Amino acid sequence: MRSRIGICVGMLFLSFAGCSSTNTSSPPNDAGSQTPTLPTVEKAPWVTFQSSEGKFVVSFPFEPVEKESTTPAGFTKRQVRAVLHNGQLVYSVQYATGPPPEDVRQMLTQAQAGMIQAQRGTLLREDEIRLGDWYGRAFSFSFESNNQPGLLHTRIYSVEDRVFILMVGGSPEYTSESDAERFFKSFSL
């Protein structure tokens, strides 16, 4: 059962790593600007998204897009994300259903290690967290992708038969820890 949960978490993360510039929204740049405008996420009209299937509510800085698929292990995986600045900044909630792990804390620790290892990342900070009665992990790590630096702020929760992964990441110049915290704090079951 543990390996099935590990596969589930790995598949969730890999869908983040494969983000593309399709279905993106971006705040407009100033007319004639040659360089991208940093996101004004704090000034954006944050959009509340409610998932009846996932039984959660979360706010995104821009309109999110929802996708559903099935993992090779047979888990149903759903992802809701807002991709900004042509993939330079991603806000994402992913979740999958499956049997609950025998040892939640161990699964969360292994999921964190696997995500960081998959990106050959460097852990910047980590904490055990809770969402009500449910255990979670909060961590941030840096990584390189296509010779470009990246930064990812993550929360993972195990809730009954669901695993939730919340992520804010992308280019460090666009990834704000305060905006990520606003996103994470908006998440509720």
Side-chain angles (χ1 to χ4, degrees):
M1 175 163 33
R2 286 185 201 160
S3 64
R4 288 190 65 175
I5 289 292
I7 291 169
C8 168
V9 171
M11 294 302 294
L12 286 170
F13 177 69
L14 288 175
S15 67
F16 173 84
C19 292
S20 70
S21 61
T22 59
N23 294 325
T24 62
S25 55
S26 189
N29 288 347
D30 294 334
S33 175
Q34 297 297 317
T35 58
T37 304
L38 289 176
T40 55
V41 173
E42 68 279 353
K43 296 178 182 175
W46 284 65
V47 177
T48 300
F49 177 86
Q50 183 169 355
S51 171
S52 56
E53 295 86 10
K55 303 175 186 168
F56 68 90
V57 175
V58 67
S59 293
F60 287 89
F62 296 92
E63 193 68 41
V65 175
E66 188 172 18
K67 292 172 41 176
E68 181 179 319
S69 61
T70 303
T71 69
F75 292 100
T76 300
K77 175 181 74 173
R78 292 182 178 87
Q79 178 182 40
V80 183
R81 69 180 180 187
V83 181
L84 310 171
H85 298 285
N86 295 319
Q88 294 296 307
L89 178 61
V90 178
Y91 285 71
S92 175
V93 175
Q94 303 173 45
Y95 69 97
T97 57
E102 292 173 23
D103 185 337
V104 172
R105 287 181 168 157
Q106 181 181 4
M107 183 275 297
L108 295 169
T109 300
Q110 289 173 342
Q112 171 186 316
M115 290 173 69
I116 295 169
Q117 183 180 23
Q119 291 295 310
R120 296 183 182 107
T122 301
L123 181 66
L124 301 174
R125 72 178 127 288
E126 64 181 324
D127 288 303
E128 283 193 8
I129 56 174
R130 294 186 68 114
L131 182 66
D133 293 335
W134 310 107
Y135 288 105
R137 296 287 295 178
F139 58 98
S140 297
F141 66 95
S142 61
F143 62 96
E144 278 199 18
S145 178
N146 298 323
N147 295 319
Q148 298 294 316
L151 177 63
L152 189 64
H153 302 290
T154 307
R155 304 289 182 271
I156 304 175
Y157 299 103
S158 179
V159 179
E160 295 175 350
D161 65 342
R162 293 169 287 156
V163 174
F164 292 93
I165 301 178
L166 290 77
M167 296 183 280
V168 175
S171 173
E173 69 184 282
Y174 292 111
T175 307
S176 160
E177 191 168 345
S178 63
D179 293 336
E181 282 302 315
R182 180 175 176 182
F183 176 67
F184 297 141
K185 288 179 180 180
S186 75
F187 181 77
S188 65
L189 300 174

